[in-house]
Amino acid sequence: MNKYISYGEFQNHMRRYYNQSGNKVQFIEMINYLEVNGMLLDERPELVMPYWNSESTTEEFNKVIDSLILTVTPMESTTSTVEEGSIIPKSRDVFIIRHPRYTRRDPHRHNYFEINYVVEGSCNFHFNGEDLILKSGEICVIAPGSLHDITIDDESTVYTLMIRKSTFNANFFSLLSNKDLLGHFFRTILQDDSHENYLLFFTRENKKLKSYMRNALLECHEGDTYSNSCCINWVNLIFSELLRNYSSTIQFYNYQMGTDFSLILQYIQHNYQTLTLSSLAEFFHYSEPHLSTLIKHNTGRSFTDLIKELRINDAINLLVNTNMKVSQIADQVGYNSADHFSRVFRGIYKESPLEYRKKHSQEEQFKPFQKEEQSRRPSL
């Protein structure tokens, strides 16, 4: 049976219990305690939300969150494995909360994606036996099945986004485009169920990102038929902002690589026009055979194939979206001649770069008022 309590009241109880006893409890333990002592409501109270805008401080917006109503269900016991159906409402693909403060450490796994955004202050991130401190502006994407926990020992503010795995695969993996080397690799990491992993973004102070997060959180508490789709759209904007502006800052849990492999991928991504295997090996102090094996093992591609893909994908973008000459494009993406570039391109797409440009430019060309203009022509 559902019970109700505001965010603010619940957090006050957590803070009071910790200050009085010096002990921390889990979310469900506090819910059970409040139920036993008759402190949960049987009927959902009317929501009175304080005013806020894009310039509201974290403290001001926390008052908005404090006014939101939690729908809770007392339970007899907890488990170290959390199923998405037990925490994400049935009608939701995305659910966002402000992470409770003063909870006891309790590492757990779940079958959905979790994204934690440190808005202000810091939190303790426990992952597979290791302890880290996440600071303001850092965003951590935790893959399903990973043993972890987030704890907050003070009044820091952390938003936690929970996304069904099927929803993540359907809506957000498409942003991790195969045309981008880093994006493809991060997608591979998150899809690998055989290893525990996370991605960590360092965003610092980003007002746009904070605004997206706030809107997504509040949208989760709307009750109309548009709310779920709106939540997904806000989270799409969040991921787009992260990948657009912070992909070069990403770190990931290094489960078997012996080095931060993302640095190698970033270097390849930004220097592929002139990069050779020997220069890459020299830069990272690897032997060429070992580096070649490392790249093949972790991306499924050889160094040569990676370079070719990056050059051709960049060339396609320039062909479709600019008026650059083929010779200029060839030079910009790293080919020593237009003829060489054209041979490679034709070998992949079975048509010349100019033929590709003509076909795809026609497909994407927008011709407004074409019918109206034709109808106004005088008849002969």
Side-chain angles (χ1 to χ4, degrees), residues 158-259:
V158 178
Y159 299 159
T160 298
L161 294 74
M162 294 159 282
I163 306 174
R164 295 183 188 275
K165 187 174 182 180
S166 58
T167 303
F168 198 101
N169 292 342
N171 290 276
F172 308 123
F173 267 159
S174 60
L175 293 175
L176 300 174
S177 170
N178 288 336
K179 295 181 180 179
D180 180 86
L181 179 56
L182 286 170
H184 175 76
F185 183 63
F186 299 141
R187 174 174 176 164
T188 301
I189 284 177
L190 294 177
Q191 283 182 319
D192 185 1
D193 293 332
S194 63
H195 293 97
E196 303 181 72
N197 229 312
Y198 64 80
L199 301 181
L200 187 60
F201 295 82
F202 299 85
T203 70
R204 297 186 179 181
E205 182 66 24
N206 183 311
K207 291 184 177 180
K208 183 186 293 185
L209 191 57
K210 185 179 294 185
S211 177
Y212 292 162
M213 291 281 188
R214 288 176 171 181
N215 279 283
L217 189 154
L218 293 184
E219 192 63 54
C220 282
H221 292 269
E222 294 289 343
D224 58 44
T225 56
Y226 303 101
S227 176
N228 189 56
S229 295
C230 289
C231 279
I232 291 175
N233 289 334
W234 281 117
V235 177
N236 256 314
L237 288 172
I238 290 168
F239 273 99
S240 297
E241 181 70 12
L242 287 174
L243 294 170
R244 171 183 285 167
N245 295 312
Y246 299 103
S247 62
S248 62
T249 75
I250 300 179
Q251 291 183 7
F252 58 91
Y253 180 62
N254 190 353
Y255 56 81
Q256 60 179 13
M257 296 178 183
T259 184

Side-chain angles (χ1 to χ4, degrees), residues 117-123 133-139 201-202:
Y117 171 42
V118 184
V119 180
E120 189 171 278
S122 63
C123 67
I133 302 295
L134 301 184
K135 298 179 181 179
S136 179
E138 296 182 2
I139 295 178
F201 295 82
F202 299 85

Side-chain angles (χ1 to χ4, degrees), residues 306-341:
L306 281 181
I307 296 298
K308 181 190 296 186
E309 287 182 27
L310 288 167
R311 288 177 175 177
I312 293 300
N313 286 330
D314 199 8
I316 287 174
N317 178 56
L318 296 173
L319 284 168
V320 173
N321 298 306
T322 76
N323 293 319
M324 291 175 63
K325 296 179 179 179
V326 171
S327 58
Q328 294 173 315
I329 292 174
D331 181 66
Q332 180 158 325
V333 301
Y335 286 98
N336 54 19
S337 72
D339 287 341
H340 183 200
F341 166 60

